């Protein structure tokens, strides 16, 4: 076949050049998220025709369910629900469409709203929601979203045709969970879509019966819609965009240390989804598995993240257990009796009885002696299941051939899943041992015939505990130890030690994380203890037991100890200390630095440090280089990773200078204010670094490099306000002695700004790939004017923030906030 005419190459669609891309409700929950989806689609459409599937907007399906229940119960408040639905969708249209395009889409939305109101009024009068009407009611969510989203794509220059799902997906009339007729559906899809040149938008979840009645594919059915389309069109890949970074090793809401799984086989994801993994709707896999089409699960909010690729290729290097999933709110129905042993047909009769009542069996286990069989069923079906089983075996129960028909409620199933489990010995024993040591009682166990999963039934109350225990056993150590080597224990370093000590119990209890300070040093002495220095007595121990400080000896000691998860923390302003980072990184030791010299050194050195960090797979974090504890650098990095382009940065980056100029007022001497800032710990040990603007130059240089610019320190223009004679003082002591002689000079600068109704701010600017710093007068109405105390403010102008900048504001100096930023970097490393 030839390429699609959508791209001006041919008159027919080549389905191998197509991709199905599906977005869940959370991905289109509000205007900002919808814009992200549009960006993703724009980035995906190059060179291929897209078939786009979307769920209802977030929470709309639940609202429709609530409206139907209220109407059926005779509660007139259902009208309020309809008003909420109306307000949400009309507001979306009015806020996101140009005025000249609103009329048409608003009229179509209002037509659907009128239908919704009529349906709900009928339910209210009948006091009942029939299955067919229930499907019709819930289907409004996808009808609204597909109408609006397809319209928005066209409005944004992405030519898209909206296709009614009912025209192409054909089902029976099992309303609520309709079964697809794949032969008819595939034929209809090929017939209906083959002539379309533009991108195609198909609402998820909904379909039509043979007689044209609207049906639904079950909650989560939009994934199924996308899979059916992918299989019918034989596309290269199906992408499912959701709100998580792919399939996780466990539910991240239950297990904070859960991580994304990069690759899974079809069989593995089917097992995980069957047992509760919510990232994908269970029936979704079957159509694409039969067609051999890979599925990529991505995060709408972090599109740079690799996500999870599902295919027919198993990961040969993977751990035996790939993931944990669980189903809550189940009950265990057990038949037992000595007379069952050797009797044929017991299992078949039980299954037939339950099948006749459309009861879904989740889990089956039978004693090897055949004297009992247990099945797991959802709590909401257990009473019906118990009644059906009793009727089927009434005679056996009365004659005591079956001694027990019992039900145990409030249970959950946890499944361990992995293709390699069948060739790995000891998986079951390891799991049972871990659960037993933590007092978790196992009610029943089962292993699938493929040996890809082990299922364990436990009490609902033990779910979180069990998931964490198993996750630690198969993926992580019970306690992760981070070994810290601290250089610089003055204001920031001392505060960091205090914060680590304060949080130690919490981190270990809540996160299984233990931060052990095994080495620390100031300019005179250094101290080591492989088992961890007693933090509460560190000052006394350093003074009494510390040996003479030697930077080379400090590094040699780190190497010799050779401890796992080692982190070198630099809280100095020393060029010499910054110069050892290469050596540290080269020995597979991570670096966290509040010292900004390395990141603002030569561009070649900066790149070498980043390259070493990547090649050695260790961290190099320096968030506190700019803005102390403010998330400035990480924000810029995330923007760049997500595809944004930064054009300009304007910032007040010196908390020290901002403190000085905020406190330099009528009646105060400049020299006194500088000393006050030093005493408060807001300046560098040598305040000339701050006053000269050198500190701000380094900060704007670092930000410039984070945006992707190749720039050197000497290329940053500095409009200094400091007298040259004063800055040439031989020492800090000499500088402080000379400073009062220039108080009149500084007073004239202050008075001039005051007469102009202005305030003094030391501003850094990055614009047109050029960086500049200098003292400026700012006026009321400018963002820098109302900047209190030691606060910093950073305004970032980018492709996405072009009209109104992204603003980061807060305390930008001080031992406490700087230490907390260093602490955050250490925690970030521990999670890698």
């Amino acid at each position: 076949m030839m390429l699609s005419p959508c791209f001006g190459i041919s008159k027919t669609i080549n389905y191998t050049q197509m991709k199905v891309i599906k977005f869940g409700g959370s991905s289109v929950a509000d205007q900002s998220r919808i814009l992200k989806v549009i960006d993703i689609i724009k980035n995906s459409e190059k060179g291929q025709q897209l078939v786009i599937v979307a769920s209802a907007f977030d929470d709309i399906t639940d609202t429709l369910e609530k409206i139907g229940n209220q109407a059926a119960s005779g509660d007139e408040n259902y009208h309020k629900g309809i008003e909420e639905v109306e307000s949400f969708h009309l507001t979306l249209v009015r806020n996101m469409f140009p005025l000249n395009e609103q009329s048409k889409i608003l009229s179509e939305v209002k037509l659907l709203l009128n239908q919704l109101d009529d349906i709900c009024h009928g339910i209210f009068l009948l006091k009942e929601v029939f299955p067919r009407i229930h499907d019709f009611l819930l289907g409004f969510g996808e009808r609204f979203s597909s109408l609006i989203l397809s319209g928005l794509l066209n409005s944004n220059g992405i030519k898209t045709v909206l296709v009614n799902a009912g025209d192409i997906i054909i089902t029976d009339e099992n309303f609520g969970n309709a079964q697809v007729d794949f032969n008819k559906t595939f034929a209809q899809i090929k017939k209906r879509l083959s002539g379309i040149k533009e991108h195609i938008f198909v609402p998820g979840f909904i379909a039509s019966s043979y007689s044209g009645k609207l049906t639904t594919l079950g909650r989560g059915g939009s994934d199924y819609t996308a899979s059916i389309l992918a299989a019918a069109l034989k596309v290269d890949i199906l992408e499912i965009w959701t709100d998580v970074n792919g399939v996780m090793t466990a539910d991240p809401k239950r297990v904070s240390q859960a991580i994304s799984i990069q690759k899974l086989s079809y069989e593995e994801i089917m097992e995980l989804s069957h047992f509760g993994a919510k990232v994908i709707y269970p029936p979704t896999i079957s159509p694409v598995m039969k067609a051999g089409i890979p599925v990529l699960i991505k995060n709408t909010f972090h599109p740079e993240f690799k996500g999870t690729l599902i295919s027919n290729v198993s990961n040969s290097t993977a751990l035996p257990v790939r993931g944990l999933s669980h189903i809550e709110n189940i009950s265990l129905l057990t038949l037992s009796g000595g007379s069952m042993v050797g009797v044929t047909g017991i299992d078949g009769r039980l299954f037939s009885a339950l099948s006749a009542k459309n009861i879904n069996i989740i889990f089956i286990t039978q004693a090897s002696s055949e004297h009992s069989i247990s099945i797991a069923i959802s709590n909401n079906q257990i009473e019906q299941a118990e009644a059906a089983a009793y009727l089927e075996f009434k005679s056996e129960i009365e004659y005591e051939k079956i001694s027990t028909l019992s039900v145990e409620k409030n249970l959950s199933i946890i499944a361990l899943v992995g293709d390699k489990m069948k060739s790995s010995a000891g998986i079951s024993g390891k799991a049972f041992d871990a659960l037993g040591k933590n007092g978790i009682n196992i009610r029943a166990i089962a292993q699938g015939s493929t040996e890809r999963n082990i299922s364990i039934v436990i009490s609902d109350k033990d779910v979180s505990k069990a998931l964490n225990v198993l996750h630690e056993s198969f993926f992580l150590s019970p306690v992760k130890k981070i070994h810290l080597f601290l250089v610089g224990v003055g204001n920031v370093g001392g505060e960091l030690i205090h914060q680590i000590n304060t949080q130690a119990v919490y981190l270990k209890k809540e996160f299984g994380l233990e931060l052990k300070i095994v080495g620390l040093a100031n300019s005179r002495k250094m101290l080591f203890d492989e088992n961890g220095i007693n933090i509460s007595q560190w000052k006394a121990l350093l003074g009494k037991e510390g040996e003479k400080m030697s930077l080379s000896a400090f590094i040699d000691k780190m190497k010799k100890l050779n401890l796992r998860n080692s982190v070198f923390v630099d809280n100095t302003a020393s060029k010499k200390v910054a110069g050892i980072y290469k050596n540290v990184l080269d020995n597979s030791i991570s670096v966290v630095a509040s010292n900004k010299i390395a990141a603002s050194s030569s561009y070649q050195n900066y790149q070498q440090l980043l390259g070493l960090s990547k090649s050695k797979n260790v961290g190099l974090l320096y968030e506190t280089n700019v803005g102390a504890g403010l998330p400035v650098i990480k924000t810029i990095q995330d923007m760049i990773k997500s595809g944004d382009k930064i054009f300009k940065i304007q910032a007040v980056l010196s908390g020290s200078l901002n403190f000085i100029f905020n406190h330099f007022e009528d009646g105060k001497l400049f020299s006194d204010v500088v000393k006050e800032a030093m005493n408060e710990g807001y300046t560098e040990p040598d305040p000339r670094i701050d006053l000269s603007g050198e500190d701000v130059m380094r900060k704007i240089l670092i930000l410039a490099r984070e945006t992707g610019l190749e720039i050197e320190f000497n290329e940053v223009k500095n409009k200094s306000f400091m007298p040259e004679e004063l800055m040439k003082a031989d020492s800090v002591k000499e500088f402080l002695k000379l400073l009062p002689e220039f108080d009149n000079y500084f007073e004239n600068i202050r008075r001039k700004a005051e007469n102009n109704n202005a305030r003094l701010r030391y501003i850094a600017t990055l614009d047109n790939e050029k960086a500049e710093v200098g003292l400026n007068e700012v006026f009321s109405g400018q963002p820098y004017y109302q900047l209190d105390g030691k606060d910093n403010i950073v305004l970032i102008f980018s492709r996405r923030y072009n009209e109104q900048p992204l603003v980061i504001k807060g305390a930008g100096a001080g031992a406490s906030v700087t230490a907390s930023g260093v602490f955050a970097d250490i925690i970030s490393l521990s999670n890698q």
Side-chain angles (χ1 to χ4, degrees):
M1 288 186 179
M2 300 179 70
L3 291 175
S4 165
C6 178
F7 305 103
I9 300 174
S10 164
K11 294 184 178 180
T12 60
I13 296 174
N14 181 348
Y15 292 128
T16 63
Q17 299 298 316
M18 297 178 77
K19 175 167 68 174
V20 176
I21 183 168
K22 181 263 175 182
F23 295 94
S26 60
S27 296
V28 289
D30 55 38
Q31 295 174 43
S32 63
R33 295 185 179 190
I34 291 170
L35 290 175
K36 288 180 183 292
V37 166
I38 292 172
D39 281 341
I40 289 168
I41 292 172
K42 283 182 178 177
N43 291 330
S44 298
E45 67 173 338
K46 299 171 184 176
Q48 54 190 331
Q49 187 179 21
L50 302 180
V51 179
I52 305 154
V53 178
S55 301
F57 297 118
D58 204 23
D59 294 331
I60 291 298
T61 302
D62 289 337
T63 302
L64 292 169
E65 185 80 66
K66 180 181 176 182
I67 290 169
N69 292 335
Q70 287 177 323
S73 65
D75 183 354
E76 292 188 354
N77 283 321
Y78 79 86
H79 286 294
K80 292 181 180 179
I82 294 177
E83 289 170 3
E84 289 177 16
V85 172
E86 178 179 10
S87 175
F88 176 87
H89 291 95
L90 294 184
T91 299
L92 206 58
V93 172
R94 288 169 178 144
N95 287 346
M96 299 198 73
F97 282 86
L99 275 173
N100 63 339
E101 296 178 17
Q102 288 183 15
S103 178
K104 182 178 182 297
I105 192 75
L106 283 172
S107 65
E108 292 176 321
V109 171
K110 287 178 180 178
L111 184 62
L112 283 178
L113 287 166
N114 290 337
Q115 292 179 24
L116 175 61
D117 189 64
D118 290 343
I119 289 292
C120 292
H121 181 64
I123 294 171
F124 180 77
L125 293 176
L126 293 171
K127 300 295 187 291
E128 186 174 355
V129 185
F130 296 104
R132 175 188 170 189
I133 299 302
H134 184 256
D135 270 14
F136 196 83
L137 173 65
L138 296 189
F140 276 102
E142 276 70 18
R143 294 169 71 190
F144 281 124
S145 65
S146 59
L147 178 63
I148 293 171
L149 292 172
S150 62
L152 280 171
L153 292 176
N154 282 300
S155 180
N156 281 270
I158 304 170
K159 293 183 178 180
T160 308
V161 172
L162 176 60
V163 174
N164 178 12
D167 291 344
I168 56 176
I169 299 181
I170 311 302
T171 72
D172 61 14
E173 294 189 357
N174 182 23
F175 298 105
N177 191 23
Q179 301 303 303
V180 176
D181 183 328
F182 283 96
N183 289 331
K184 289 184 179 295
T185 294
F186 280 23
Q188 283 296 106
I189 289 171
K190 293 172 183 176
K191 178 181 178 182
R192 177 69 177 85
L193 304 187
S194 62
I196 297 176
K197 301 176 182 180
E198 299 82 8
H199 298 309
I200 300 163
F201 199 110
V202 180
F205 181 54
I206 56 179
S208 287
S209 70
Y210 301 114
S211 60
K213 298 181 180 71
L214 188 146
T215 58
T216 63
L217 304 178
R219 292 298 291 266
S222 292
D223 287 351
Y224 197 22
T225 301
S227 177
I228 293 166
L229 288 164
L233 298 171
K234 294 183 173 58
V235 298
D236 288 332
I237 194 166
L238 163 61
E239 290 183 3
I240 295 178
W241 291 78
T242 180
D243 57 0
V244 293
N245 292 329
V247 181
M248 311 293 282
T249 49
D251 182 352
K253 294 179 181 178
R254 296 275 193 173
V255 181
S256 61
Q257 292 172 310
I259 56 175
S260 177
I261 307 170
Q262 289 192 2
K263 293 181 180 179
L264 285 170
S265 68
Y266 292 124
E267 292 81 6
E268 285 173 329
I269 191 61
M270 287 183 77
E271 296 283 359
L272 287 168
S273 61
H274 173 75
F275 285 102
K278 296 180 176 61
V279 73
I280 193 166
Y281 181 55
T284 302
I285 296 301
S286 181
V288 288
M289 182 171 70
K290 290 177 181 177
I293 296 168
V295 180
L296 182 61
I297 300 175
K298 296 273 287 179
N299 190 338
T300 305
F301 315 117
H302 295 286
E304 76 282 359
F305 200 89
K306 288 184 178 180
T308 300
L309 181 66
I310 300 164
S311 69
N312 56 10
V313 180
S314 183
N315 189 345
S316 60
T317 62
L319 294 170
V321 177
R322 305 303 313 287
L324 308 172
S325 59
H326 72 283
I327 305 175
E328 297 177 69
N329 303 315
I330 67 119
S331 296
L332 207 59
L333 176 69
T334 301
L335 278 176
S336 63
S339 298
M340 291 172 56
V341 178
V343 178
T344 60
I346 296 289
D347 297 358
R349 287 172 61 192
L350 177 60
F351 300 155
S352 295
L354 299 179
S355 177
K357 299 294 182 181
N358 290 320
I359 294 169
N360 181 40
I361 298 173
I362 302 169
F363 165 107
I364 305 167
T365 186
Q366 186 170 23
S368 58
S369 64
E370 301 182 10
H371 100 286
S372 69
I373 180 171
S374 296
I375 57 175
I377 295 167
S378 175
N379 279 347
N380 59 18
Q381 289 191 309
I382 190 59
E383 291 182 5
Q384 190 180 8
E386 184 180 14
Y390 181 80
L391 286 175
E392 179 64 32
F393 297 100
K394 183 178 179 181
S395 175
E396 287 88 343
I397 292 170
E398 289 177 350
Y399 287 100
E400 298 183 356
K401 291 182 179 180
I402 292 178
S403 57
T404 303
L405 172 59
S406 64
V407 170
E408 188 175 357
K409 298 181 180 180
N410 302 317
L411 301 173
S412 293
I413 301 174
I414 292 180
L416 293 80
V417 175
D419 280 340
K420 294 174 68 178
M421 284 172 55
K422 60 185 176 182
S423 59
S424 302
I427 299 294
S428 299
K430 186 176 180 180
F432 300 157
D433 182 61
L435 294 173
K437 287 180 178 178
N438 286 273
I440 298 170
N441 185 36
I442 298 172
R443 293 297 303 115
I445 59 173
Q447 184 167 24
S449 59
T450 62
E451 300 183 46
R452 286 191 179 92
N453 86 75
I454 297 170
S455 306
I456 302 167
V457 180
I458 61 171
S459 172
D460 272 338
K461 66 181 178 62
D462 289 328
V463 170
S464 291
K465 186 178 182 182
L467 284 170
N468 280 278
V469 166
L470 292 170
H471 199 274
E472 287 174 0
S473 297
F474 289 101
F475 299 99
L476 299 167
S477 299
V479 175
K480 185 173 185 179
K481 294 181 180 180
I482 307 297
H483 300 96
L484 303 177
F485 297 85
L486 274 60
V487 175
V489 290
N491 288 337
V492 174
E495 176 61 21
L496 174 63
I497 294 172
H498 170 71
Q499 291 182 10
I500 290 172
N501 189 35
T502 301
Q503 289 295 98
V505 174
Y506 173 79
L507 289 174
K508 191 168 184 178
K509 179 182 178 182
E510 297 296 327
F511 300 101
L513 184 63
E514 184 178 359
L515 303 183
K516 296 176 67 175
I517 299 177
V518 294
L520 56 82
N522 57 23
S523 59
R524 299 177 301 280
K525 288 189 174 185
M526 60 184 183
L527 178 69
F528 295 92
D529 187 336
E530 184 174 354
N531 296 316
I533 295 167
N534 186 338
I535 298 180
S536 61
Q537 300 179 35
W538 72 268
K539 285 185 180 179
L541 290 169
L542 181 61
K544 185 179 179 180
E545 300 178 12
E547 57 191 278
K548 185 179 179 181
M549 171 57 176
S550 162
L551 199 53
S552 59
F554 193 92
I555 296 173
D556 289 340
K557 185 67 174 180
M558 283 197 300
K559 294 178 184 177
K560 186 177 179 180
L561 286 172
N562 196 27
L563 298 170
R564 69 187 186 281
N565 301 324
S566 290
V567 181
F568 176 78
V569 183
D570 179 11
N571 288 314
T572 73
S574 166
K575 185 175 182 180
K576 187 176 180 181
V577 175
I580 68 168
Y581 291 3
K582 287 181 185 177
N583 195 348
V584 173
L585 293 169
D586 197 47
N587 282 277
S588 299
I589 298 173
S590 295
V591 173
V592 170
S594 60
N595 185 346
K596 59 185 72 68
I597 290 177
S600 60
S601 60
S602 71
Y603 187 79
Q604 181 183 18
N605 184 64
Y606 165 77
Q607 284 295 313
Q608 286 176 350
L609 291 174
L610 293 179
L612 260 178
S613 172
K614 290 180 181 179
S615 65
K616 294 294 181 178
N617 198 28
V618 292
L620 172 61
L621 300 181
Y622 42 91
E623 181 63 63
T624 52
N625 280 196
V626 181
L630 297 176
V632 180
I633 291 174
K634 186 177 188 304
T635 297
I636 290 175
Q637 289 174 342
D638 288 346
M639 291 173 71
I640 299 299
K641 289 175 185 175
S642 66
D644 205 355
K645 172 71 175 176
I646 294 173
F647 302 124
K648 181 168 68 173
I649 296 175
Q650 293 177 325
V652 172
L653 294 173
S654 174
S656 311
L657 288 176
N658 203 46
F659 177 91
I660 289 169
F661 287 116
N662 273 327
H663 287 77
F664 182 33
E665 53 193 22
D666 191 21
K668 283 191 175 182
L669 299 176
F670 186 81
S671 58
D672 290 338
V673 176
V674 171
K675 291 174 184 176
E676 181 183 355
M678 290 181 66
N679 293 334
E680 292 289 340
Y682 294 143
T683 70
E684 298 287 352
D686 184 347
R688 288 175 294 180
I689 296 174
D690 299 287
L691 293 168
S692 68
E694 179 184 333
D695 186 63
V696 179
M697 291 172 68
R698 291 189 182 278
K699 290 175 179 178
I700 194 64
L701 173 67
I702 291 167
L703 296 187
R705 288 175 172 177
E706 293 301 327
T707 68
L709 293 181
E710 184 176 336
I711 185 171
E712 299 288 355
F713 179 79
N714 60 14
E715 294 178 71
V716 181
K717 185 177 179 181
N718 182 8
K719 297 187 292 184
S720 177
F721 67 95
M722 293 296 293
E724 187 175 346
E725 179 184 351
L726 183 59
M727 298 301 289
K728 288 182 177 179
D730 293 332
S731 65
V732 174
K733 184 178 180 180
E734 181 66 19
F735 168 78
L736 293 174
K737 183 179 178 180
L738 289 172
L739 186 59
E741 298 178 17
F742 293 84
D743 277 335
N744 286 336
Y745 166 81
F746 295 112
E747 176 61 18
N748 288 335
I749 295 175
R750 186 199 68 78
R751 191 177 293 119
K752 178 177 177 293
E754 186 179 73
N755 292 338
N756 292 334
N757 293 317
R759 294 179 180 176
L760 295 171
R761 297 285 183 261
Y762 204 84
I763 298 174
T765 303
L766 175 67
D767 193 10
N768 291 322
E769 300 186 357
K770 294 181 180 179
E772 179 180 290
V773 302
L775 188 64
N776 290 264
E777 293 183 358
V778 298
F779 302 91
S780 178
Q782 290 182 277
Y784 319 103
Y785 189 81
Q786 296 291 347
L787 204 58
D788 299 326
K790 56 186 180 299
D791 283 0
N792 280 191
I793 186 170
V794 180
L795 285 71
I796 304 173
F797 298 80
S798 70
R799 185 165 55 217
R800 295 173 186 160
Y801 294 91
N802 57 349
E803 296 181 359
Q804 189 169 351
L806 187 155
V807 179
I808 302 170
K809 181 180 178 183
S816 180
V817 293
T818 304
S820 70
V822 174
F823 199 179
D825 274 351
I826 294 170
I827 298 297
S828 179
L829 277 178
S830 73
N831 290 327
Q832 290 182 0

